[in-house]
Amino acid sequence: MTQPKQHATPNRRRFLRTTGLLVGGLALGVSAAGSAAAGVSVANGWYEEEEIYYIAHGVEEGVTERGENDIYLIGGDRVWQAQVVEFIPGDSGYSPHWNVNLVQTATGVTVDDIVASAYVSDHYPEALFDDVEDILAAENAGLVTIAKPGVVVLCPIVPERVADAPGNTELPEDFPRPWPDTF
């Protein structure tokens, strides 16, 4: 039997939105005023049901795994929704280097089966998943498979004001709808 989800408390959510994400920005040389080098690609993602932002520097060539920090791609790289991350700045295990995990529907399972489960995001249809715990529980329930292709990406988490800074390019957040039967 699956245990009820333990998600961020209101205080933790406030921390994520303010000072907690500042750590990621400071590690990048982002000032407290929230400016960053112009011209970086910024993406949204999900962590414990909360939207987060990161700079998308891309694949780290020649690296197949690094640390314990995982990022989950639902059906591919921003194909159907924003990525879901396991850790954020301030969490033990956080690093801007992410081990890629590709999430796909299990054989014989449809998106409707996932939507009917306890693991679907409250943000559906914007996001099928918004929490790593739900992805792992869906895998344990036989709803999805998770492949580790041996790819590491560099994507430091930053505060929203850095994501919105002039000169930065936000990756599209308009994902195709409706969801396919499988992904």
Side-chain angles (χ1 to χ4, degrees):
M1 180 165 196
T2 303
Q3 297 293 323
K5 294 192 289 189
Q6 299 281 328
H7 293 292
T9 63
N11 287 337
R12 180 150 171 85
R13 286 186 183 126
R14 187 169 27 263
F15 173 79
L16 295 176
R17 290 188 194 116
T18 56
T19 58
L21 292 179
L22 183 58
V23 173
L26 292 174
L28 292 169
V30 175
S31 73
S35 60
V40 296
S41 294
V42 181
N44 70 319
W46 296 100
Y47 170 80
E48 293 187 357
E49 300 181 357
E50 295 289 327
E51 190 171 36
I52 53 97
Y53 301 90
Y54 58 88
I55 296 176
H57 287 298
V59 174
E60 294 187 43
E61 297 298 328
V63 181
T64 58
E65 186 171 15
R66 188 177 246 179
E68 58 185 79
N69 207 22
D70 291 323
I71 189 167
Y72 293 81
L73 287 60
I74 312 303
D77 185 9
R78 297 182 63 82
V79 174
W80 297 106
Q81 74 164 66
Q83 322 310 23
V84 182
V85 301
E86 185 171 23
F87 301 114
I88 60 165
D91 287 348
S92 175
Y94 171 76
S95 160
H97 310 278
W98 302 87
N99 301 310
V100 171
N101 293 265
L102 179 60
V103 179
Q104 297 181 299
T105 49
T107 302
V109 173
T110 67
V111 169
D112 287 341
D113 296 325
I114 296 168
V115 171
S117 77
Y119 314 115
V120 69
S121 167
D122 290 338
H123 298 281
Y124 180 81
E126 178 183 358
L128 188 63
F129 294 108
D130 60 13
D131 188 324
V132 170
E133 286 182 16
D134 289 337
I135 295 170
L136 297 177
E139 179 189 35
N140 288 337
L143 296 171
V144 299
T145 61
I146 300 173
K148 291 184 175 274
V151 174
V152 176
V153 292
L154 177 59
C155 299
I157 293 178
V158 296
E160 184 174 6
R161 68 179 174 279
V162 172
D164 294 338
N168 291 342
T169 304
E170 291 185 47
L171 296 179
E173 295 181 17
D174 296 324
F175 299 100
R177 295 295 177 262
W179 279 82
D181 290 337
T182 61
F183 56 86

